Each structure stands twice: as structure tokens, then as C-alpha cells.
Amino acid sequence: MSRLFSTLATIWRLASPYFFSEDRWPGRILLGTVIALELISVAIDVMFNQWNNRFYNALQERNWDSFVYELAFFCVLATIYIVLAVYQLYLTISINGFRSGGGAG
């Protein structure tokens, strides 16, 4: 347990100057965005698991209306997941372009 606290203290010691520098607001916004994206990603994964249960129950029960509804729900969920993945990729490219000195433009 003390090793964990030591590691966290080291991470804080390395990261804290950045979050209190002139670039603190963009850094804090990026950190908040990354945390929000990860939480949304986990929520979507949970929704996929719940959908899986409902979808295969509809197949097992041969319930056509439920089957069609679950297919439509899957399309919406997959679209949200793809948009989120593209946004994460855009954010990664923008951040890496900023770090390498190139424009993110």
C-alpha cells in the first residue's frame, strides 16, 4: 500500500507544475475531457452488455418486435460508439501534434 502512495506522490510531483503553469486551463480541460470520455466509454460498454442480454433473449423467445427494436437500439449504440472513438482519435492526434510542435489545425 505504501508503494501505491509513493507512486501517486511521484506522479503528483511530476504533473502538478503543469497544472499550475500558464497552460493550466487547457491542461485541466483536456484532463477533464479524457476522464469524461473514459467514463462514457465504460457506460457504453455496460449498455452493450445489457443489450446483448436483451437481444439474445429476443432471439431465444422468437419475439420479432423485440428483435427489431434491439437491432435499432444496437445501430444507435454503435453510432455513438463510433463517434466517440473518432473524437478520441481526433483528440489524440491534436494533442500529439501540439506536443511535437506542429499545428493541430
Side-chain angles (χ1 to χ4, degrees):
M1 191 65 157
S2 66
R3 190 170 171 182
L4 174 66
F5 289 132
S6 173
T7 303
L8 290 175
T10 302
I11 291 170
W12 176 252
R13 193 171 57 248
L14 290 171
S16 64
Y18 177 73
F19 290 106
F20 294 105
S21 69
E22 291 179 11
D23 290 334
R24 68 181 165 265
W25 288 113
R28 290 174 183 175
I29 290 170
L30 283 174
L31 178 64
T33 303
V34 168
I35 290 171
L37 287 174
E38 287 301 318
L39 290 174
I40 292 169
S41 179
V42 168
I44 290 174
D45 287 339
V46 168
M47 291 174 78
F48 269 123
N49 284 333
Q50 293 171 347
W51 171 84
N52 225 1
N53 180 35
R54 292 190 314 266
F55 179 75
Y56 285 105
N57 282 342
L59 283 177
Q60 181 179 350
E61 297 165 1
R62 296 185 175 130
N63 185 344
W64 177 255
D65 294 334
S66 180
F67 173 77
V68 171
Y69 174 79
E70 293 305 331
L71 276 179
F73 186 81
F74 175 79
C75 290
V76 170
L77 208 56
T79 302
I80 292 170
Y81 189 79
I82 290 169
V83 167
L84 180 67
V86 168
Y87 185 69
Q88 285 177 331
L89 180 64
Y90 168 76
L91 216 73
T92 302
I93 291 170
S94 296
I95 292 170
N96 288 337
F98 178 74
R99 286 185 183 163
S100 67

